């Protein structure tokens, strides 16, 4: 069962989720525990990251006890490539916080042995005690992370082929479709479903139909976001445009 939370605008959604994250960090660090966050890239979480940076700067929220795992990375792009997700995360979040570099985990798009990199990534999540809170966006194909259709509920972190719809949608960031990689490394559906809490964010009318399918279609590999219906603690944070088809 997916819960929905309607927000008047992106900023209000960002404030609500950032507050939830800050509260979680505070509660856990009081009892000496780290907080494990699963993070997404793309345009949707940008207001959330701006708000987390504001809470760090203006409200003294510390990220020293936070461990992060990003959902995915383009194959073939290294940390200095401006479109790599490592670069995106450094620019839009990490370099503005006090999170220790050793606590940051992102699949390695340049790994010589991608299967080993993916297995090590899964092991690192287990070693950290599992993900406490996972942030997700949703692609128009129904992907979460880069789990394109078809993606099974038991899929794990692995190398995937990007859907042409996704390559076209993401070409706005690259300026040219030919520059968009064809492959990626992504956390699997099962990996995502093991997070204790999941907050999916979707804004704008372009997401309305896929949000409806994710919430209302029977769970199946052909719309991977439908697997979220099987999670006991998943909330969709929507603006009115993204909730339009519900
Ligand atoms: C990003 C990711 C993707 C995006 C999705 C939506 O790390 O895993 O699933 O969340 O493609 O992208 P935006 O937010 O740009 O619409």
């Amino acid at each position: 069962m997916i819960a929905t939370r309607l927000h008047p605008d992106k900023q209000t959604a960002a404030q609500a989720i950032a507050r939830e994250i800050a509260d979680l960090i505070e509660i856990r660090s009081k009892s000496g525990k780290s907080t494990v966050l699963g993070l997404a890239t793309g345009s949707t979480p940008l207001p959330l990251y701006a708000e987390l940076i504001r809470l760090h700067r203006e409200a003294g929220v510390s990220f020293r006890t936070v461990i992060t795992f990003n959902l995915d990375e383009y194959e073939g792009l290294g940390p200095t490539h401006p479109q790599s997700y490592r670069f995106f995360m450094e620019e839009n979040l990490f370099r503005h916080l006090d999170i220790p570099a050793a606590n940051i985990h992102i699949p390695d798009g340049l790994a010589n042995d991608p299967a080993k990199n993916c297995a090590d990534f899964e092991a690192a999540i287990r070693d950290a005690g599992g993900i406490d809170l996972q942030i997700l966006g949703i692609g128009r194909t129904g992907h979460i992370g880069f789990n394109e259709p078809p993606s099974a509920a038991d899929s794990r972190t692995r190398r995937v082929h990007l859907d042409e719809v996704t390559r076209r949608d993401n070409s706005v960031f690259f300026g040219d479709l030919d520059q968009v990689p064809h492959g990626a490394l992504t956390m699997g559906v099962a990996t995502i479903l093991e997070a204790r809490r999941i907050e999916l964010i979707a804004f704008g009318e372009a997401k309305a139909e896929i949000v409806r399918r994710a919430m209302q279609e029977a769970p199946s590999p052909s719309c991977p976001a439908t697997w979220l219906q099987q999670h006991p603690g998943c909330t969709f944070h929507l603006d009115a445009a993204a909730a339009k088809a519900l």
Side-chain angles (χ1 to χ4, degrees):
M1 175 70 180
I2 296 173
T4 44
R5 202 163 153 194
L6 270 180
H7 299 275
D9 52 48
K10 293 181 188 186
Q11 202 45 42
T12 317
Q15 282 164 0
I17 303 165
R19 192 65 261 163
E20 193 180 328
I21 291 173
D23 289 348
L24 187 65
I25 295 170
E26 197 189 347
I27 289 167
R28 293 185 64 85
S29 65
K30 266 189 189 145
S31 49
K33 292 183 192 140
S34 56
T35 302
V36 185
L37 300 178
L39 299 176
T41 59
S43 48
T44 307
L46 284 172
L48 168 63
Y49 296 159
E51 180 61 13
L52 288 175
I53 294 166
R54 196 193 66 76
L55 287 177
H56 173 62
R57 285 190 182 145
E58 295 174 21
V61 175
S62 171
F63 290 76
R64 264 190 291 273
T65 60
V66 170
I67 300 174
T68 63
F69 290 90
N70 262 83
L71 285 164
D72 39 22
E73 179 60 282
Y74 287 115
E75 205 169 21
L77 303 194
T80 58
H81 191 291
Q83 297 311 330
S84 75
Y85 284 168
R86 164 71 70 167
F87 188 92
F88 174 101
M89 290 306 300
E90 288 295 336
E91 281 302 300
N92 292 299
L93 187 64
F94 297 142
R95 75 182 179 86
H96 307 282
L97 305 178
D98 58 348
I99 183 169
N103 289 8
I104 295 169
H105 304 82
I106 303 183
D108 181 1
L110 297 180
N112 288 327
D113 185 346
K116 182 176 182 311
N117 185 255
C118 292
D120 290 349
F121 191 82
E122 290 268 345
I125 296 176
R126 277 196 301 278
D127 290 350
I131 294 173
D132 294 306
L133 186 151
Q134 174 71 54
I135 300 297
L136 292 179
I138 184 168
R140 290 192 306 132
T141 59
H143 72 216
I144 46 174
F146 272 145
N147 293 284
E148 300 283 20
S151 284
D154 62 358
S155 55
R156 287 280 163 190
T157 304
R158 68 199 185 290
R159 193 176 183 182
V160 292
H161 197 74
L162 294 176
D163 196 286
E164 284 308 302
V165 172
T166 300
R167 288 189 66 249
R168 268 200 307 281
D169 281 351
N170 291 4
S171 66
V172 292
F173 302 106
F174 287 81
D176 178 3
L177 181 60
D178 290 342
Q179 300 296 313
V180 186
H182 288 269
L185 304 182
T186 183
M187 250 189 226
V189 174
T191 325
I192 292 171
L193 290 178
E194 280 168 6
R196 286 182 268 281
R197 207 190 295 177
I198 297 178
E199 312 293 346
L200 182 144
I201 314 169
F203 300 132
E205 202 172 342
K207 298 287 173 75
E209 175 57 13
I210 199 63
V211 164
R212 185 198 66 73
R213 290 184 58 202
M215 296 191 72
Q216 296 179 356
E217 277 187 5
S220 86
S222 59
C223 181
T226 55
W227 295 124
L228 296 170
Q229 294 171 29
Q230 299 180 346
H231 192 278
C234 176
T235 301
F236 277 23
H237 296 265
L238 309 171
D239 64 3
K244 210 174 147 187
L246 295 177

